[in-house]
Amino acid sequence: MNTSESDSSSYSEPGVGGMVQDWAADKQTFDMPWGKLMMWIFLLSDTFIFSMFLTGYMNVRISATETWPNASEVFALEIGGVHMPLLLIAIMTFVLITSSGTMAMAVNYAYRGDRRRTAILMLLTALLGASFVGMQAFEWTKLIEEGVRPWANPMGAAQFGSAFFMITGFHGLHVSAGVIYLAIVARKVSRGDYERKGYAIVEITGLYWHFVDLVWVFIFAFFYLW
């Protein structure tokens, strides 16, 4: 089969000699930027870590001999004397899912070459992420004031505190890192630093952010709905 040299999925000639020649010519299986590939590998490794955490959480919860705290009571807020179960968590989830929408719009505008709107939407995404972290800090403070610790829990099984602080804390670190990452890339976009290299970096940033949002959906289901 004769093929063109410009086609990256083709080969120049059959046999070992042709394979060596193609190898030296940097043939690619997938046309993917190096940074994007590295981000996928990082996200895959992170998927394993979060999967182990959530699997460990299920094991601890199922095997706990003491009563597991009722999420509707533990994470409820009292506003004006009204008991509101999971109100804060619902707002946190809404904020994070909304940030996925603004991030997707930022990627769209980046590939259109609209630097101003891309930077604004990325900064808006970072602001929503920072709001999420702030609400999570409030949630942690409330539980700590009520006596929940990684080694103790006045509302039931002691393992609740350690599992909650470890998993939500690890996720919160990811969101915090994402906020910083978004702010740095948004600043570079607004300055035009990627005009020559292209805006794949915005899509790579979006991959990280959507992953963080997706992980929260699982944490939400395991901790607050189960």
Side-chain angles (χ1 to χ4, degrees):
M1 180 174 65
N2 294 324
T3 56
S4 168
E5 288 289 342
S6 61
D7 184 357
S8 62
S9 63
S10 64
Y11 59 88
S12 54
E13 60 181 74
V16 175
M19 188 186 74
V20 172
Q21 185 178 337
D22 289 340
W23 195 290
D26 287 336
K27 293 285 186 182
Q28 291 180 294
T29 302
F30 302 106
D31 185 16
M32 178 182 291
W34 184 251
K36 191 174 180 180
L37 177 62
M38 291 298 100
M39 178 56 78
W40 274 116
I41 292 174
F42 169 75
L43 296 182
L44 181 63
S45 65
D46 239 17
T47 299
F48 288 131
I49 295 174
F50 276 108
S51 298
M52 285 190 293
F53 280 172
L54 291 176
T55 303
Y57 169 75
M58 285 191 293
N59 182 52
V60 164
R61 179 160 180 176
I62 292 171
S63 60
T65 54
E66 295 179 274
T67 305
W68 199 262
N70 185 346
S72 297
E73 298 299 325
V74 175
F75 301 109
L77 293 179
E78 292 285 341
I79 300 177
V82 179
H83 186 73
M84 309 194 75
L86 300 178
L87 174 64
L88 179 64
I89 311 306
I91 296 172
M92 290 168 65
T93 304
F94 176 76
V95 165
L96 211 54
I97 290 175
T98 302
S99 73
S100 259
T102 56
M103 188 65 235
M105 292 171 67
V107 174
N108 187 298
Y109 279 114
Y111 281 120
R112 292 186 190 182
D114 191 333
R115 290 194 286 122
R116 180 174 169 276
R117 287 182 178 173
T118 302
I120 290 174
L121 285 165
M122 292 188 76
L123 289 175
L124 180 58
T125 305
L127 182 62
L128 290 168
S131 302
F132 175 88
V133 174
M135 286 186 279
Q136 192 173 53
F138 173 81
E139 181 189 34
W140 273 43
T141 304
K142 176 177 173 291
L143 289 179
I144 291 170
E145 287 177 349
E146 291 173 352
V148 179
R149 302 287 185 273
W151 53 87
N153 172 29
M155 292 175 275
Q159 298 94 328
F160 169 81
S162 57
F164 175 78
F165 287 126
M166 180 181 69
I167 295 175
T168 61
F170 193 61
H171 177 263
L173 283 176
H174 277 69
V175 177
S176 301
V179 168
I180 297 169
Y181 187 27
L182 282 164
I184 292 173
V185 174
R187 184 167 181 270
K188 287 177 171 286
V189 168
S190 66
R191 291 192 315 198
D193 291 3
Y194 303 116
E195 282 296 297
R196 296 183 62 183
K197 292 189 292 185
Y199 288 94
I201 183 67
V202 179
E203 185 182 356
I204 293 169
T205 311
L207 281 175
Y208 176 84
W209 194 255
H210 293 316
F211 172 79
V212 168
D213 291 357
L214 179 63
V215 169
W216 174 254
V217 172
F218 285 96
I219 293 175
F220 175 78
F222 276 79
F223 264 99
Y224 304 104
L225 298 182
W226 183 13

